[in-house]
Amino acid sequence: MKRIDIPVEGMHCASCAANIERRLNREPGVVSANVNFANQVAAIEYDERATNLARLMTAVEDAGYEVSVLETTFPIEGMTCASCVARVEKALGRVPGVASAAVILATNQATVRYLAGVATPVELHDAVREAGYEVPVEPQPETVDIPSEEVDYQRERVQRELAILRRDLWIAGVLGAVVLIVSHVELIIGVLPPALIMPVAWLLFLLATIVQFGPGWRFYAGAWKGLKHFTADMNTLIALGTTAAWAYSAVAVVFPHLFTGAAMTTGIGEMANIIHLLYFDTSVVIIALILLGRFFEARARGHTSDAIRKLMGLQAKTARILRNGELIEIPIAQVRPGDLVQVRPGEKVPVDGTVTEGASAVDESMLTGESLPVEKHPGDTVIGATLNRTGAFIFRAERIGKDTVLAQIIRLVEQAQGSKAPIQRLADVVAGIFVPIVLAIALGTLLVWLLTPGAAPATALLRFVTVLIIACPCALGLATPTAIMVGTGRAAEMGILIKGGEVLERAHALTAIVLDKTGTLTHGQAVVTGIIALDIDENELLRLAAAAEVGSEHPLGDAVVREARARNLTLPAATDFQAIPGQGIQARVEERGLLLGNALLLETRAVAMDRLEERDIKLPDAGNTPLYVAIDGRLAGVIAVADTVRPNAVIAVRQLKRLGLTTVMLTGDHRRVAEAIAAQVGVDRVIAEVLPQHKAEEVKRLQAEGAVTAMVGDGINDAPALAQADIGIAVGSGTDVALEASDITLIGDDLTGVVVGIDLSRRTLRTIRQNLFWAFFYNVLGIPIAAGVLAPIGLVLSPMLAALAMAFSSVFVVSNSLRLRRYRPPRI
């Protein structure tokens, strides 16, 4: 199974998207096809054994639309015969996203057509090299990455569309204004002199014809594409409506006697009423208004991808690498895994890697939302696009191009933006049958008014045109995708990755949230919180215990060793070390026998515990795990170890409750410790002593009780539970496991991000519902009025007002979605 995003040109409404989906879903091997009208992309899942990219592109083109492809030409060295050519073409053809590859031996060049956002020149060059040949050039800086190339291309496409719309809008607007004024000139100067009537009529005909077949030609082109494939869309409605008004008026100008009842030879005065029979102003103003709406809509849609552009803007353009003992600066596209990269204070980290030399503090807030810089030392990982604050360091490049964390984040956001919410299914069904229904209603309206006694044919025509114009389903197609694009993009800016529309809808229904304790509510690393020494110095007790624990792999032992080293205590060597499963350890340190472990260990070794006070016995009630230390068979003290609560855990739990969620803590820790932590953070329910492999079963049990659950974990050992929950939320992880298993991923480890993710998901779904309500309400209310149902009570709608309302509805829906860009987290 494969997934590919194909950029499509030529879509104008939800019906266009529905037409392409129907055609793609008929293609053998296609499992699903979702066409996003807002970002003009077809997301396709298919079986590569049954179909391929070329056939999918052909299917889109067969539906009457164009696939946007890029082309690159580069030299190849080492080819000697036709077999070499075939080998290189085969290697290039295996690169995902390559539509065609032509290699010419005579010129030693390859020309490759590929989809932006799926393949890159870097991958094409690498494929040729892996086939055993050389590419003597390096990719240019602007081709560093899949997302950057796609976003730049999309921006270029939007700018090109806006430029054409702006030109056509000026022509239609200026000529339309002239036609509108001249058509109502009698209101300004009074009755026209008879000698001017026909010249004015012909002037209106000329100007209207320029608009109809100039700026308005796009509607005919779109309608013809649909007609060839036996489909109809908004272009069909607009072309029919404006043509009806223009053709009626043209016939009146060319054959005026058909409308005035007099021949041209009977005297020009007989033509006095001909201007009132022309509706050129209707056709040209409709075209101008629809183009105006499209212009504002396209400009607004351009902002829905701002989040991805901002993420791409974080990336460094060049890198300073060590080669042959020298520092050289190269475009980031030329960095290869294994290169040693130097980063100075104030510079961005070019790619992902591991620090090998030096130390610094790196600002990762642009990806994680963490406001404080993170200390970096040799062995620590650094993420591309983060900002180096203080010292200089050298790191080894490990993940470049599309493999970097930033590229994965952008790819995930793009997939989310191309997804659909289940709530959109109704809209898709309606959009698929909407235009034919509207055509039937319009024709029915025309016939009814033609047969209505006392109604003029012109009235029937106007009702027909008004129904066609007001019913264009643009708003219906923009309602869901624009909100998803802006909502998921805003979340990504805040370090929260939401997988798509289905997640948004499930988030709205959540009733319970399950929080893993270790690493989620707590830091996930045990620390020494207190030492109780009996007849021995505190530091001496810690020194001996840490010496014994050096050989232990238990987290409690590791906490003891770290505390001793933090106090600069010298640790002697231990001998006769032995781990006792489920109890603790024993060892000899400086000829003294040590036991370290739980109460069961001391009990089995007959070590008396009556020297402990009541407060010491109740350490677990405070969330501490007691580590008892016995020296030479006598209790010497207790070291309290605890996994401390994250600073924002209490605030996050409080906010989750405000969202109406029942909070549940799920942990494998002892019940007394778990309940102590639960009391600190304020969760409603505790499920303790659960093995990692059984966490998914506990989530399933909650679901069986009727709860719609979200599971919050670290995304690695919690992966089964994350997958079982209605929504899986991985905190503090950019790992592939987290991205795969979770529905929402927090790049940072601040638990308040969970609150923001759920709240923003709910607001996005609320926006989708507002948009869909407006789109449906607009058409349900507008079509009857346009058809003249309410004409007996004086409520009528002119074609020009219908065009204005139609344009406004689309702009309203997009603008409503763009409000999510200003989303701010709930006050905490």
Side-chain angles (χ1 to χ4, degrees), residues 162 295-305 486 811 814-815 818:
L162 285 174
F295 177 79
F296 285 126
E297 175 195 312
R299 192 166 69 173
R301 277 195 287 114
H303 291 302
T304 58
S305 296
V486 180
V811 175
V814 178
S815 300
L818 288 175

Side-chain angles (χ1 to χ4, degrees), residues 108-389:
N108 286 318
Q109 284 188 328
T111 299
V112 185
R113 296 174 69 247
Y114 61 97
L115 297 180
V118 183
T120 64
V122 175
E123 293 176 314
L124 301 179
H125 294 190
D126 287 345
V128 172
R129 292 186 177 110
E130 288 174 6
Y133 304 90
E134 288 299 319
V135 180
V137 297
E138 292 286 355
Q140 296 302 307
E142 60 269 16
T143 62
V144 59
D145 206 335
I146 290 177
S148 65
E149 188 173 343
E150 181 177 15
V151 171
D152 288 344
Y153 180 75
Q154 286 181 348
R155 176 184 289 179
E156 178 187 332
R157 186 168 60 174
V158 170
Q159 293 302 321
R160 187 168 65 246
E161 180 185 358
L162 285 174
I164 295 172
L165 278 170
R166 189 180 291 109
R167 179 201 66 196
D168 289 351
L169 181 57
W170 269 106
I171 296 172
V174 171
L175 296 185
V178 173
V179 170
L180 186 63
I181 292 170
V182 172
S183 296
H184 299 85
V185 69
E186 289 187 348
L187 297 177
I188 303 172
I189 65 172
V191 178
L192 276 175
L196 291 179
I197 292 175
M198 288 312 298
V200 167
W202 281 101
L203 173 65
L204 293 174
F205 170 74
L206 175 63
L207 296 179
T209 302
I210 293 173
V211 174
Q212 189 73 33
F213 300 101
W217 183 253
R218 64 176 64 227
F219 305 119
Y220 290 106
W224 173 244
K225 285 181 182 179
L227 185 61
K228 286 192 300 183
H229 298 89
F230 305 103
T231 60
D233 56 24
M234 70 165 289
N235 292 299
T236 310
L237 300 180
I238 296 170
L240 279 175
T242 57
T243 301
W246 175 85
Y248 178 90
S249 305
V251 171
V253 172
V254 177
F255 305 106
H257 58 282
L258 297 178
F259 294 84
T260 62
M264 289 290 289
T265 55
T266 60
I268 200 162
E270 299 281 350
M271 302 295 117
N273 292 325
I274 193 68
I275 300 297
H276 301 293
L277 299 177
L278 304 182
Y279 295 98
F280 288 126
D281 56 335
T282 297
S283 65
V284 296
V285 171
I286 285 173
I287 290 173
L289 288 174
I290 290 172
L291 291 177
L292 179 65
R294 280 197 181 180
F295 177 79
F296 285 126
E297 175 195 312
R299 192 166 69 173
R301 277 195 287 114
H303 291 302
T304 58
S305 296
D306 282 352
I308 292 181
R309 294 194 187 102
K310 287 180 181 178
L311 288 171
M312 285 313 309
L314 300 175
Q315 196 168 40
K317 303 301 180 187
T318 61
R320 192 180 300 103
I321 67 169
L322 284 166
R323 282 186 182 168
N324 301 322
E326 293 184 6
L327 274 174
I328 59 173
E329 190 165 337
I330 60 173
I332 192 173
Q334 298 177 16
V335 177
R336 291 289 177 265
D339 283 342
L340 292 176
V341 185
Q342 184 191 64
V343 184
R344 297 173 181 170
E347 293 181 340
K348 289 181 178 179
V349 178
V351 294
D352 298 358
T354 302
V355 177
T356 59
E357 182 182 332
S360 183
V362 178
D363 181 357
E364 298 181 345
S365 60
M366 64 281 294
L367 293 179
T368 66
E370 175 60 50
S371 58
L372 296 177
V374 180
E375 295 291 332
K376 299 293 181 181
H377 302 281
D380 292 336
T381 58
V382 288
I383 302 172
T386 55
L387 182 64
N388 183 30
R389 286 293 188 189

